[in-house]
Amino acid sequence: MQSPIDDTVLTQQGFNSVGGGRSLIIACGALAREILALKEMNGWDHMDLTCLPAILHVYPEKITDAVQEAVLKHKSSYEQIFIAYADCGTGGLLEAKCQELGVQMIEGPHCYSFFEGNAQFAKIAEDEFTAFYLTDFLVRQFEAFVIKPMGLDRHPELRDMYFGNYEKLVYQAQTDDPDLTRKAKLCAERLGLSFERRFTGYGDLQVALREV
């Protein structure tokens, strides 16, 4: 599904689509398109969606507090709230906070894992510790999430310091989009890495949301 949502808005501001549903998904802005696509595909009209700014992934220490604030803001209005974040660099703090708040969240260390499927990712993780992963969203927002935060736009010589130990870029494709595949290849070339495209679809994200 092609969404009219602007990726820059998802990155900096997040997204809200609330319409009186019984369940609320509080998600990372990087998952907005995928969740909206799943809602449409499956007719999940009972779900509302609010997304926090995707750029929080650059500052994982802020994710737990932001999720807590969103849960407390909306808890009285919904029968169920589900958190569409994995651990995402919070070091277990997000899981502990979700347990405290009485809400569920996606299992897994990060989106690369649950898109791949947590069980499958666990099997391949030891063999792919030199792989750098991108999703559809991160391919579209490569500059905002990789190049600029790492200063590579100003100091390209830092490439070896950041990526010298990586060997390949794995593009986990949620959709069959030739343009995104071309962009992902360019991302790999820019980082000096070999390229692999792996179609994952929605992985465990779809499984988790089906239970909501």
Side-chain angles (χ1 to χ4, degrees):
M1 181 187 72
Q2 290 297 319
S3 169
I5 306 170
D6 181 84
D7 286 312
T8 301
V9 173
L10 292 176
T11 295
Q12 301 296 337
Q13 301 175 32
F15 172 79
N16 282 288
S17 177
V18 292
R22 302 187 309 276
S23 299
L24 176 68
I25 310 300
I26 297 175
C28 172
L31 302 179
R33 291 173 182 265
E34 288 71 24
I35 294 173
L36 290 173
L38 286 168
K39 275 170 50 67
E40 183 174 285
M41 286 166 49
N42 294 282
W44 291 337
D45 297 329
H46 65 290
M47 290 183 184
D48 287 347
L49 174 65
T50 186
C51 292
L52 303 180
I55 199 64
L56 286 177
H57 273 288
V58 179
Y59 312 99
E61 71 279 3
K62 297 181 179 181
I63 292 176
T64 301
D65 287 345
V67 168
Q68 175 179 240
E69 182 179 347
V71 170
L72 295 177
K73 177 181 178 180
H74 296 287
K75 198 168 187 178
S76 63
S77 301
Y78 290 91
E79 296 176 14
Q80 181 183 21
I81 291 179
F82 183 82
I83 308 304
Y85 275 89
D87 180 75
C88 299
T90 67
L93 294 177
L94 181 58
E95 180 181 8
K97 181 58 66 175
C98 285
Q99 290 176 353
E100 177 186 323
L101 294 169
V103 295
Q104 291 181 292
M105 60 181 281
I106 297 179
E107 293 184 3
H110 39 59
C111 58
Y112 315 127
S113 179
F114 66 67
F115 275 136
E116 188 82 41
N118 285 317
Q120 173 63 16
F121 193 85
K123 290 180 181 178
I124 65 176
E126 288 190 9
D127 295 327
E128 291 200 339
F129 61 90
T130 58
F132 184 74
Y133 297 91
L134 293 179
T135 63
D136 283 7
F137 180 84
L138 291 175
V139 170
R140 292 192 301 265
Q141 288 288 285
F142 185 68
E143 291 287 328
F145 278 81
V146 179
I147 298 300
K148 290 182 178 179
M150 293 183 174
L152 294 174
D153 54 333
R154 302 178 303 278
H155 301 285
E157 68 276 8
L158 294 176
R159 179 268 163 205
D160 289 343
M161 183 178 76
Y162 288 128
F163 294 98
N165 292 322
Y166 288 96
E167 295 178 357
K168 67 177 178 179
L169 183 149
V170 176
Y171 167 38
Q172 294 178 320
Q174 282 72 69
T175 56
D176 281 314
D177 187 327
D179 287 337
L180 278 182
T181 298
R182 282 192 289 271
K183 290 179 181 179
K185 287 180 180 178
L186 291 174
C187 294
E189 291 175 9
R190 190 167 182 183
L191 298 180
L193 304 176
S194 63
F195 176 75
E196 177 182 341
R197 180 187 183 274
R198 192 180 294 162
F199 181 76
T200 65
Y202 302 114
D204 286 349
L205 177 64
Q206 180 167 232
V207 175
L209 292 182
R210 189 178 288 128
E211 299 178 1
V212 177

